Amino acid sequence: MLAGLGHAHLFVLEALATGALDGCDVVVCTGEAEHVYSGMVPGWLGGRYDRSELSLDTEQLCQWAGATRLPQHVRGLDPVSRRITLDNGDTLAFDLCSIAVGSKPAGLDVAGASEHAIPLKPLHNVERLRTQLSELAARGRGAVTVVGAGLAGIEMALATRARLTLDGDVARAVAITVLGVEHELVPERGPRLARQLIRACDRQRVAVRLGARVARVHHDALELADGARLPSDCTVWATGAAAPPWLAASGLPVDDRGFLLVDGHLRSPGAAHVFAAGDCATPLSWDDTPKAGVYAVRMGPVLARTLASVVQHRALPAPYAPQRQFLALVNTGDGRAIASRGSLALSGTWAMWLKDRLDRAFIARFAGG
Ligand SMILES: Cc1cc2nc3c(=O)[nH]c(=O)nc-3n(C[C@H](O)[C@H](O)[C@H](O)COP(=O)(O)OP(=O)(O)OC[C@H]3O[C@@H](n4cnc5c(N)ncnc54)[C@H](O)[C@@H]3O)c2cc1C
């Protein structure tokens, strides 16, 4: 039973397609018609890609692999009776279950956020953002606020400027602001990246306001915790990752944020027949690993090999060990990207070329499905 079709499960489907999981009946529970590749979403918003270039059809993927897709999300898991509950209330039995359901944006319980803001997960919400931006561009004035000054938030703010610019020069009259609760930009990646990001934001007339906590969201404004009020006709919610509540409700061990704990074999320490990977999983020995797509992708081959070994009663393969640093490539929406690794950060069209190649290669790997 594969709950969700996150990145790691693409590798499990690939293993199934190539015979490595022979003898298994694999069922994939996902209400999503498409797996949308987040790394290319800012490029799509900014007009670089068509929607079809960053999406994989989940039904087609399942058919290619020889799995059965149930077009329902999972809303509960009972590891003792080995059953999952689907959104429509049906329950299904499993022998082995693997979970790759990602995360949801944190802080959506801020007053008015779920009514008036556009959360970046699920990623198909970006369609709504694109529609609202076209309306603003047609009006020729207004304000867009991105709440969350992490890499995804800044990338989306820069992509917003790229989209408005495509929609006409008049769109220059739309103000774009990124709000961050921290007093520094991406403190975990060092000052060089922060400087490059600020430079890109200055070039594209994106204002960055740090130390700003949103207290309430209205349809046309935001109230900050310090009492300030900001006009905002379109509010994008790009805060950090939060865990879907049903993971903790399963009774399986979770970390202090509610993400499933897993051992080096991506297996729950509370149930040897339950596995998890990607944002929804926190490796016990690497619990400070950021919730990022690169780690979800890294877990994929380990998960696929591990499940194949369990099914075939073979010794388990080498455990998962994340890289301690990873190359982040931030699309700045102007044909360039910033490449950052460790404390280094460099910007240029070459970095966007590299990002484009890596992202397209990932999609192409599974596009045969
Ligand atoms: C705009 C944006 C850009 C980003 N760019 C990058 C980047 O360049 N590099 C990077 O490393 N990270 C990036 N990230 C972070 C990255 O998106 C996540 O870390 C990554 O998607 C996590 O992968 P995953 O496989 O765990 O989950 P996901 O990719 O989120 O996949 C989980 C899937 O499960 C589905 N699902 C959710 N709940 C259920 C359920 N109950 N039942 C069944 N299915 C369910 C979801 O709809 C989704 O299809 C970006 C994030 C955003 C928002």
Side-chain angles (χ1 to χ4, degrees):
M1 181 74 65
L2 302 184
L5 199 39
H7 296 76
H9 283 173
L10 297 177
F11 292 86
V12 178
L13 289 185
E14 185 184 60
L16 183 65
T18 54
L21 281 163
D22 271 358
C24 273
D25 285 330
V26 176
V27 174
V28 181
C29 302
T30 176
E32 303 287 354
E34 292 175 325
H35 172 94
V36 181
Y37 185 53
S38 59
M40 293 167 87
V41 165
W44 170 71
L45 184 67
R48 188 178 182 97
Y49 303 117
D50 288 338
R51 178 68 194 259
S52 61
E53 291 177 284
L54 54 139
S55 312
L56 296 165
D57 182 307
T58 57
E59 181 62 44
Q60 215 173 309
L61 272 166
C62 290
Q63 281 178 15
W64 161 70
T68 305
R69 171 175 173 253
L70 288 181
Q72 291 284 325
H73 267 26
V74 175
R75 70 157 193 238
L77 169 87
D78 181 349
V80 179
S81 66
R82 298 191 184 208
R83 295 190 81 82
I84 56 154
T85 306
L86 301 176
D87 262 352
N88 65 2
D90 286 353
T91 68
L92 285 174
F94 61 82
D95 298 308
L96 289 178
C97 178
S98 176
I99 304 169
V101 293
S103 55
K104 59 193 191 86
L108 277 171
D109 50 349
V110 166
S114 48
E115 293 93 315
H116 303 301
I118 302 177
L120 283 186
K121 291 283 176 98
L123 284 165
H124 58 69
N125 283 349
V126 181
E127 296 273 8
R128 259 169 69 205
L129 171 60
R130 195 164 147 162
T131 308
Q132 288 197 11
L133 293 181
S134 300
E135 286 163 11
L136 279 185
R139 235 205 291 163
R141 67 192 153 75
V144 179
T145 312
V146 178
V147 180
L151 293 182
I154 293 188
E155 226 181 356
M156 289 303 281
L158 292 167
T160 293
R161 176 61 76 207
R163 165 58 42 192
L164 290 167
T165 305
L166 276 183
D167 286 344
D169 277 341
V170 72
R172 285 256 161 217
V174 178
I176 305 174
T177 307
V178 181
L179 297 181
V181 78
E182 313 276 349
H183 290 271
E184 273 173 78
L185 213 50
V186 292
E188 69 287 359
R189 298 192 76 97
R192 286 196 180 123
L193 176 61
R195 278 198 296 273
Q196 293 275 7
L197 292 171
I198 292 289
R199 223 172 282 155
C201 288
D202 285 349
R203 270 196 318 264
Q204 317 254 81
R205 299 196 325 123
V206 168
V208 178
R209 187 161 168 177
L210 298 175
R213 182 176 291 280
V214 175
R216 181 177 286 274
V217 184
H218 299 274
H219 76 280
D220 59 352
L222 295 175
E223 273 173 49
L224 302 186
D226 64 6
R229 195 178 166 95
L230 280 184
S232 181
D233 303 290
C234 172
T235 300
V236 182
W237 208 258
T239 51
W246 65 269
L247 299 178
S250 71
L252 290 170
V254 291
D255 70 7
D256 55 3
R257 292 193 289 165
F259 293 109
L260 286 173
L261 286 169
V262 290
D263 65 15
H265 299 295
L266 305 176
R267 189 169 49 183
S268 167
H273 51 284
V274 178
F275 295 76
D279 277 8
C280 68
T282 295
L284 275 162
S285 313
W286 317 93
D287 58 356
D288 57 347
T289 306
K291 301 291 180 196
V294 289
Y295 293 104
V297 169
R298 269 290 170 104
M299 289 183 193
V302 179
L303 179 69
R305 283 196 294 271
T306 304
L307 291 176
S309 305
V310 171
V311 167
Q312 287 151 14
H313 307 288
R314 285 191 274 113
L316 294 179
Y320 168 75
Q323 68 270 48
R324 298 316 288 156
Q325 291 183 342
F326 70 95
L327 175 69
L329 290 160
V330 183
N331 175 354
T332 49
D334 53 358
R336 285 181 261 193
I338 303 169
S340 144
R341 189 180 165 95
S343 61
L344 282 178
L346 295 166
S347 162
T349 50
W350 61 270
M352 191 59 222
W353 175 86
L354 178 63
K355 177 170 173 52
D356 182 66
R357 275 189 71 111
L358 295 173
D359 287 346
R360 283 185 189 277
F362 181 82
I363 287 288
R365 175 168 181 163
F366 302 102

